[in-house]
Amino acid sequence: MASWTSSEFLYEEVKPPGIHFLERFKRSGKLSFKQYQGMVFVLTFIAYIAFHATRKPNSIVKGTLSEQPTGHLKGAENGGWAPFDGPDGTALLGQIDLAFLSVYAVGMFVAGHLGDRLDLRTFLTIGMVGTGVCTAMFGFAFWANIHSFYYFLAIQTLAGWFQSIGWPCVVAVLGNWFDKKRRGVIMGIWSAHTSIGNIIGSLIATGLLKFGWGWSFVGPALLITFLGFVVYLFLPVNPPAVEAERDGTEVDSTMRLGDTITESFLSSRMSTTGFDRRAVGFLAAWKIPGVAPFAFCLFFTKLVSYTFLYWLPFYVSQTEIGGEHLSQETSGNLSTLFDVGGVVGGILAGYFSDQLDGRAITAGGFIYLTIPALFLYRIYGHVSMTVNIILMFIAGLFVNGPYALITTAVAADLGTHKSLKGNARALATVTAIIDGTGSVGAAIGPVLTGYIAAVSWDAVFYMLMTAALISGLLLTTLIIGEVKTLLYGSSEEDEVDAASASRPPIDVLI
């Protein structure tokens, strides 16, 4: 087994069995590069839809599990479910969220490190099936009449580890197949899986809630388990593994900051698969320009996003909208509009960042606009259902836009940075660093909300607006650099690239 700093791989890339099956029906006996790209896009897309779908039942059933002291909410089963039916029920639910997200954050760093050294297809399948089992086990407590807080805590802790495998794997695979030229738009569309997964998870969980809250977990669990086996059968990890070649075109000369299919095919250090076999170490990945600012920015951005992910349905059910309270089912369905806004936000953020060639400018702009969007939603969201829908959609657009951009296009750009000198084995590690750091914030936000909401929802929103402000400020230096590039046509990055051209690449063993 390789150590934390080892550069040795533990596998050899092979063609998935499903690809062999598909080739039997091709007249030429071989799939085209574009067909492989389409397959990768769809498989990674549905894989992460399934991951997010399994995270939504926790937020949907919060009102059902916890005590309903005012008696005005519909959908609660006999006053809740012990041990969450007491006055400290929301705090206990927040602790379970903290356990899941804490392990998810730490596991992300480990999973990213392993992802650059293991077969991504197999590793991703393990994460999906393991997540399915854990999600089903949480719901199993409904039929087994389990009321131990430590049972739920243990299940969510284990689920956090399996969930952490998903993101580094899917981003690394996608980055292996798509160059930077249109990466913002492509990944902006692709990042819709997060919001679509939340929507599907919400609809499944709320639809099954009437049969008992356990079914809200079993439905998404079966979905991700099935799709996990589909991924194992068909997902092509990278072009060399399936002997794919670009369809009669040269490598795009506009690629910058090292895409995985440029120097990686030409380096003298390559293996027979066409990729540099040395994986970039954890500390070396932190040294890549831009990784640290975006990682810490995502800490606060994801704090805001995940607070909505875990608490929005509960908040809606606790708030009078148009003079009346909504049922748990209606609140869950209404909360999906936040994710619909997130889909639009991710696509717009990707498009603008490509047009401006400015990831930091785009992310920062969306983040700063998050502040007034959150303020307006809190102040006017209760006026009527129509106003709530509009403001929720706008909030989702600005909250999830930069989150989607940073975790996809930015991570892929930095994971193939020119300072790596053609080393293609940094994508999973860099993705894990950025999203893992963000996930620490994601763990803190929901648990703080569990305590703060018991005192004041106003305080919760002020916390979220403060986090958004700090997130934007962390990108200040990068934004200034990109503005100078737009105004004067040169960048500090170009100067760094020129200065480092004669130097050896970042030490992959650090």
Side-chain angles (χ1 to χ4, degrees):
M1 178 66 68
S3 67
W4 179 261
T5 58
S6 172
S7 63
E8 296 297 325
F9 277 164
L10 307 180
Y11 74 98
E12 288 295 330
E13 294 130 335
V14 297
K15 186 178 293 187
I19 300 296
H20 288 291
F21 177 78
L22 292 177
E23 287 178 339
R24 293 181 181 179
F25 297 94
K26 283 283 291 183
R27 186 170 300 178
S28 63
K30 189 175 183 180
L31 300 179
S32 68
F33 193 89
K34 289 184 177 180
Q35 286 175 326
Y36 277 120
Q37 284 183 315
M39 186 181 300
V40 168
F41 187 96
V42 171
L43 288 176
T44 54
F45 187 82
I46 63 175
Y48 220 70
I49 281 178
F51 272 112
H52 261 265
T54 60
R55 298 179 194 178
K56 284 303 293 184
N58 293 74
S59 64
I60 297 300
V61 304
K62 270 187 169 72
T64 299
L65 298 178
S66 63
E67 183 183 33
Q68 308 296 324
T70 60
H72 61 256
L73 296 179
K74 301 176 183 178
E77 296 178 355
N78 300 322
W81 186 271
F84 308 110
D85 57 348
D88 61 344
T90 56
L92 292 177
L93 289 168
Q95 290 176 26
I96 289 179
D97 293 343
L98 176 63
F100 171 86
L101 292 167
S102 297
V103 174
Y104 178 80
V106 175
M108 186 79 72
F109 295 112
V110 178
H113 180 79
L114 293 176
D116 282 329
R117 291 156 176 80
L118 298 174
D119 177 14
L120 289 170
R121 179 169 55 90
T122 303
F123 197 35
L124 179 58
T125 300
I126 292 172
M128 296 178 73
V129 175
T131 296
V133 172
C134 290
T135 304
M137 289 300 294
F138 196 103
F140 176 73
F142 174 76
W143 294 281
N145 201 30
I146 297 174
H147 296 276
S148 170
F149 171 73
Y150 295 103
Y151 172 84
F152 297 106
L153 187 68
I155 291 298
Q156 284 298 88
T157 299
L158 188 59
W161 158 244
F162 283 113
Q163 283 265 359
S164 70
I165 295 174
W167 190 246
C169 291
V170 295
V171 174
V173 172
L174 197 73
N176 285 339
W177 286 93
F178 294 92
D179 59 48
K180 187 187 176 186
K181 185 177 181 181
R182 295 175 300 276
R183 187 177 280 163
V185 172
I186 291 172
M187 287 195 162
I189 297 172
W190 179 76
S191 67
H193 55 55
T194 298
S195 297
I196 293 176
N198 292 339
I199 293 170
I200 291 176
S202 296
L203 295 177
I204 294 175
T206 54
L208 295 176
L209 185 60
K210 59 187 175 183
F211 301 109
W213 63 262
W215 287 107
S216 295
F217 290 86
V218 172
L222 293 174
L223 174 67
I224 194 171
T225 301
F226 169 76
L227 291 177
F229 289 110
V230 173
V231 164
Y232 180 79
L233 291 174
F234 292 98
L235 182 65
V237 172
N238 55 50
V242 292
E243 301 174 341
E245 299 178 356
R246 282 185 172 268
D247 302 329
T249 61
E250 297 296 329
V251 174
D252 191 342
S253 61
T254 62
M255 294 181 192
R256 298 179 63 239
L257 298 185
D259 292 306
T260 57
I261 41 182
T262 55
E263 294 179 39
S264 58
F265 282 121
L266 307 176
S267 173
S268 61
R269 299 191 303 272
M270 302 305 140
S271 71
T272 56
T273 64
F275 276 73
D276 187 336
R277 301 297 292 176
R278 300 190 302 166
V280 172
F282 181 77
L283 296 180
W286 272 103
K287 296 180 180 180
I288 297 172
V291 167
F294 274 113
F296 291 117
C297 168
L298 190 64
F299 175 96
F300 293 98
T301 302
K302 205 166 181 179
L303 183 154
V304 178
S305 179
Y306 267 63
T307 297
F308 276 92
L309 173 66
Y310 279 88
W311 286 99
L312 182 57
F314 184 79
Y315 169 75
V316 171
S317 69
Q318 294 287 308
T319 304
E320 284 192 4
I321 300 177
E324 64 179 82
H325 287 274
L326 305 179
S327 68
Q328 292 295 327
E329 182 177 355
T330 303
S331 298
N333 289 330
L334 179 61
S335 68
T336 61
L337 292 170
F338 181 86
D339 295 299
V340 174
V343 173
V344 177
I347 295 173
L348 289 178
Y351 173 78
F352 288 134
S353 70
D354 278 349
Q355 295 301 308
L356 295 172
D357 194 18
R359 308 290 197 215
I361 292 174
T362 304
F366 273 69
I367 290 169
Y368 285 125
L369 288 172
T370 295
I371 299 172
L374 294 179
F375 178 79
L376 292 174
Y377 180 66
R378 174 55 183 165
I379 298 300
Y380 298 106
H382 71 281
V383 172
S384 68
M385 182 69 77
T386 301
V387 173
N388 189 284
I389 288 172
I390 294 172
L391 293 179
M392 184 187 294
F393 177 89
I394 294 173
L397 187 152
F398 289 121
V399 168
N400 285 340
Y403 166 40
L405 178 66
I406 294 171
T407 54
T408 55
V410 169
D413 289 350
L414 296 176
T416 54
H417 196 275
K418 185 173 287 187
S419 63
L420 297 169
K421 294 293 184 70
N423 188 309
R425 304 306 303 184
L427 269 169
T429 300
V430 169
T431 298
I433 287 175
I434 292 176
D435 203 43
T437 303
S439 296
V440 177
I444 293 173
V447 72
L448 285 179
T449 300
Y451 290 99
I452 298 174
V455 179
S456 168
W457 278 106
D458 285 335
V460 171
F461 276 81
Y462 283 125
M463 173 191 74
L464 298 178
M465 288 186 283
T466 302
L469 176 62
I470 297 172
S471 178
L473 292 174
L474 286 168
L475 294 181
T476 300
T477 301
L478 296 178
I479 291 173
I480 291 173
E482 290 183 354
V483 170
K484 288 181 178 179
T485 301
L486 290 175
L487 294 176
Y488 305 111
S490 63
S491 67
E492 294 179 6
E493 179 185 280
D494 295 328
E495 297 172 4
V496 171
D497 290 340
S500 63
S502 60
R503 294 202 300 265
I506 291 176
D507 187 353
V508 297
L509 297 181
I510 294 178

